[in-house]
Amino acid sequence: EAGVVQSPRYKIIEKKQPVAFWCNPISGHNTLYWYRQNLGQGPELLIRYENEEAVDDSQLPKDRFSAERLKGVDSTLKIQPAELGDSAVYLCASSLWAGTPRGEQYFGPGTRLTVT
Amino acid sequence: AQKVTQAQTEISVVEKEDVTLDCVYETRDTTYYLFWYKQPPSGELVFLIRRNSFDEQNEISGRYSWNFQKSTSSFNFTITASQVVDSAVYFCALSEAEGYQKVTFGTGTKLQVIP
């Protein structure tokens, strides 16, 4: 069974440019998460989807970040415009649904973003 | 608010040595879950274990073992007879047991096993 797929793996852009990350979760997983992981830190949740509904986006900087999961399967996270402080690894994870099993989220390899 | 502290930033051991990774947590919840994840150089986090707050029984899985002590709010992870393939960053995490179960991660401990 294929795991969580993310693309691209690496992205280098200049500040003020837009960037988008794509995630395809494990087949059948209803819940999808986007995390940001700064260097030397643990992942921090940006947004969580239950099917196509964003049920927790309280940590998403909405002035420049947006996300969508139109058909309840794959998802795109966008930053526009990017700032130097956005340099991080963006991780996507999925689980069958948020309630069960608790916390068994399956993570993708991440997209390492460098903003210059 | 929930908090997970992993005081050890980096640890280096020689292959076959035992190593313990420390994790201390804070929560006001009476029921919660604790986790360990492994992040190898490839980047994806790999789920290792989940414990709920009602189950303080220690667990062993092969060379891995976990010591959960509610009295000291600790959930330590021991690797016995470490191998080079164990080299990775290890994250301890905590989630509430009710509602959404948002997961809070620690800052991670980088383990380097030297051959």
Side-chain angles (χ1 to χ4, degrees), chain A residues 60-74:
Chain A
L60 190 73
K62 298 181 183 63
D63 56 336
R64 298 183 299 107
F65 285 66
S66 64
E68 60 183 16
R69 192 185 185 200
L70 293 176
K71 296 182 179 179
V73 181
D74 57 345

Side-chain angles (χ1 to χ4, degrees), chain B residues 16-93:
Chain B
K16 297 184 182 178
E17 285 184 347
D18 300 346
V19 59
T20 295
L21 309 182
D22 298 333
C23 173
V24 175
Y25 63 92
E26 295 176 28
T27 179
R28 285 179 288 189
D29 295 329
T30 55
T31 55
Y32 49 89
Y33 290 87
L34 294 162
F35 312 88
W36 277 94
Y37 282 86
K38 174 182 180 180
Q39 188 174 39
S42 55
E44 70 269 31
L45 278 85
V46 177
F47 170 84
L48 295 178
I49 189 172
R50 176 189 70 241
R51 304 297 286 172
N52 73 54
S53 53
F54 290 113
D55 184 1
E56 291 192 64
Q57 189 172 19
N58 292 330
E59 182 160 339
I60 298 175
S61 176
R63 296 184 298 107
Y64 295 171
S65 62
W66 291 270
N67 183 359
F68 176 28
Q69 292 196 341
K70 211 168 179 178
S71 60
T72 56
S73 297
S74 65
F75 186 43
N76 297 337
F77 173 30
T78 297
I79 302 175
T80 303
S82 59
Q83 300 176 2
V84 173
V85 293
D86 296 327
S87 297
V89 180
Y90 290 85
F91 290 95
C92 181

Side-chain angles (χ1 to χ4, degrees), chain A residues 9 33 35 37 40-45 48 56 58-59 91 98-110, chain B residues 33 35 37 39 41-47 50 89 91 95-108:
Chain A
R9 290 296 311 277
Y33 312 77
Y35 287 88
Q37 185 177 18
Q41 301 293 315
E44 294 179 325
L45 181 72
R48 175 176 70 98
D56 182 1
S58 57
Q59 302 301 311
L91 294 165
T100 298
R102 300 287 196 267
E104 282 188 33
Q105 299 175 23
Y106 296 83
F107 285 81
Chain B
Y33 290 87
F35 312 88
Y37 282 86
Q39 188 174 39
S42 55
E44 70 269 31
L45 278 85
V46 177
F47 170 84
R50 176 189 70 241
V89 180
F91 290 95
S95 83
E96 56 201 13
E98 301 299 327
Y100 157 43
Q101 305 104 39
K102 179 181 177 180
V103 180
T104 300
F105 288 84
T107 52

Side-chain angles (χ1 to χ4, degrees), chain A residues 5-7 9 16-17 22 26 30-31 41 52 57 62-63 65 71 76 84-85 89 94 99 105 113-114:
Chain A
V5 179
Q6 289 188 250
S7 68
R9 290 296 311 277
K16 299 185 181 179
Q17 294 301 306
W22 178 78
I26 292 174
N30 299 309
T31 306
Q41 301 293 315
E52 65 274 10
D57 63 356
K62 298 181 183 63
D63 56 336
F65 285 66
K71 296 182 179 179
T76 301
L84 294 176
V89 176
S94 69
Q105 299 175 23
L113 174 67
T114 302

